[in-house]
Amino acid sequence: KTSSCAVIGRKDGEPCADDGKGCTIGAQCLSGQCQPGKIERFHAIASPSGAVVQSVAGADNGDVYAVGGSAGDKAASWWISRLQPTSKHLWTLLLTNEVAHAEARAEKVVRKLTNIYVAGTTGTKNAGLNVKVAVIADDGKKASVSWQKSFGKQGVDEGALSLAVRSSGAIATAGWGGTGSSRKMHFIRLTSTGSFIKSRDITAAGGAATDLRFRSDGGLVYIGYSKVGGTPRAVFGQLAADLTPDATVVKYSHPDGLQAYSMAETVDGWMVAATVAAGSKQRAAWLRLDSKGTLLHMRVSQLQGAAWGIVRLDKELWALSGATNPSGGNDNAAIFAVD
């Protein structure tokens, strides 16, 4: 199997391997693209209804936690796996939903202290879709569920797309509530044992909160998108510890629409992975923000594709994960190195 990496344009022949500027797959930059390189490891999780990986997090010894779901299979609609660097499979936990649903799956995994925290959406018989949070204990050889709980109101669909965890174990989730154009941003605060503290909805006209982080004072910083006339705009906001807004929401626009999906901390603010438009106009984008959300710059890829995740690699180097569709055919998995 082979892969390729698209980066900011550089001079032909400029080395890319470990230069802190672009791709790191040991090739030369050719018109802004790395030459194809070999995938070092590959692992697939099979399901009769198809499985999707939604999030990954680092574990001890270079291992990786991966979470996702199988939309049409209620017995495996939530799964959590631990893989070794060699792609050897150590364990998988399956968490059953009462009802199979296309949006019922694990969406985000975070490792904090000695626990693994997972958030997502679960299908229920009586209350539609609910937010679900699970805490997993892992001894390195096997895993067990410390607790799992769902939260929601009957008659209103709600789901989580991300979660954040404090050093105390306190939890916050970000996601969506409602359907169609009435869908709102939805936030929940929980104690370390999963007891419900409070929730809050913020009008988004069909949007969602997609990622969040705790501030040092217990408040929250979040990103997401709202819609105006059906066109999405990326947003950056802040909430106090009791989930009341305590800063002006900052909005970012693009003529073709803009949705923010994931955030990574910089020395003085945030880098945000985002996607412009959809269909043939869809492009990966990344935004540099200061600590208050002021836009410092926004860049948009020239290739058709999308960016959904971001991680910090070095002081001024980030990796975006997403997809490219350079030929207008099937999507290709992609990783972009940006500075």
Side-chain angles (χ1 to χ4, degrees):
K1 295 179 179 292
T2 61
S3 63
S4 59
C5 181
V7 301
I8 298 172
R10 309 217 175 265
K11 295 180 180 179
D12 289 353
E14 180 179 339
C16 299
D18 301 321
D19 65 349
K21 297 179 180 179
C23 295
T24 56
I25 59 174
Q28 287 185 328
C29 289
L30 298 175
S31 302
Q33 291 189 349
C34 289
Q35 292 177 330
K38 294 181 179 179
I39 292 177
E40 293 186 7
R41 303 287 184 264
F42 178 81
H43 181 81
I45 296 175
S47 167
S49 347
V52 178
V53 176
Q54 294 295 116
S55 177
V56 296
D60 290 335
N61 304 317
D63 293 357
V64 174
Y65 295 116
V67 303
S70 305
D73 184 356
K74 70 178 182 179
S77 51
W78 267 57
W79 54 260
I80 305 102
S81 293
R82 179 169 177 170
L83 308 173
Q84 290 185 324
T86 59
S87 286
K88 179 181 178 181
H89 172 260
L90 291 179
W91 52 257
T92 292
L93 282 179
L94 301 180
L95 279 64
T96 302
N97 288 334
E98 293 180 0
V99 178
H101 192 283
E103 292 187 89
R105 58 178 172 260
E107 295 278 1
K108 184 73 173 184
V109 58
V110 170
R111 185 192 179 198
K112 193 75 171 183
L113 302 175
T114 59
N115 289 321
I116 312 155
Y117 297 81
V118 186
T121 304
T122 185
T124 67
K125 293 180 180 179
N126 299 318
L129 293 173
N130 282 180
V131 170
K132 184 174 182 175
V133 177
V135 176
I136 311 298
D138 175 22
D139 66 6
K141 296 180 181 179
K142 63 181 185 303
S144 59
V145 179
S146 298
W147 57 261
Q148 57 175 313
K149 297 181 180 181
S150 60
F151 308 88
K153 299 183 290 290
Q154 188 167 349
V156 180
D157 286 342
E158 295 168 336
L161 297 175
S162 188
L163 85 163
V165 184
R166 299 196 77 186
S167 57
S168 64
I171 300 167
T173 68
W176 53 269
T179 57
S181 61
S182 65
R183 181 169 282 192
K184 302 176 181 179
M185 297 183 185
H186 183 62
F187 301 89
I188 296 178
R189 285 290 308 267
L190 306 173
T191 67
S192 59
T193 57
S195 295
F196 178 82
I197 298 175
K198 192 171 186 178
S199 67
R200 173 172 289 275
D201 291 333
I202 297 177
T203 299
T210 54
D211 204 1
L212 79 167
R213 297 289 188 277
F214 271 108
R215 301 186 313 212
S216 59
D217 64 356
L220 295 165
V221 176
Y222 70 89
I223 61 167
Y225 61 95
S226 60
K227 293 185 178 181
V228 177
T231 301
R233 297 186 299 180
V235 300
F236 173 95
Q238 300 190 57
L239 303 174
D242 64 358
L243 297 185
T244 57
D246 67 351
T248 301
V249 174
V250 186
K251 301 177 181 179
Y252 318 96
S253 300
H254 187 279
D256 296 317
L258 182 67
Q259 298 183 189
Y261 288 109
S262 183
M263 62 199 303
E265 196 168 1
T266 70
V267 294
D268 56 1
W270 306 93
M271 282 284 282
V272 174
T275 298
V276 170
S280 62
K281 291 185 176 182
Q282 190 176 65
R283 299 288 186 273
W286 51 102
L287 292 70
R288 181 78 179 257
L289 314 177
D290 69 12
S291 61
K292 295 182 179 180
T294 302
L295 180 65
L296 302 178
H297 67 248
M298 180 173 72
R299 303 286 185 264
V300 180
S301 169
Q302 295 182 4
L303 295 176
Q304 183 177 338
W308 300 306
I310 185 169
V311 294
R312 188 176 181 177
L313 300 177
D314 203 348
K315 184 177 179 180
E316 288 294 329
L317 183 67
W318 290 265
L320 302 178
S321 61
T324 59
N325 190 340
S327 63
N330 295 325
D331 285 342
N332 301 315
I335 297 177
F336 307 81
V338 300
D339 55 11

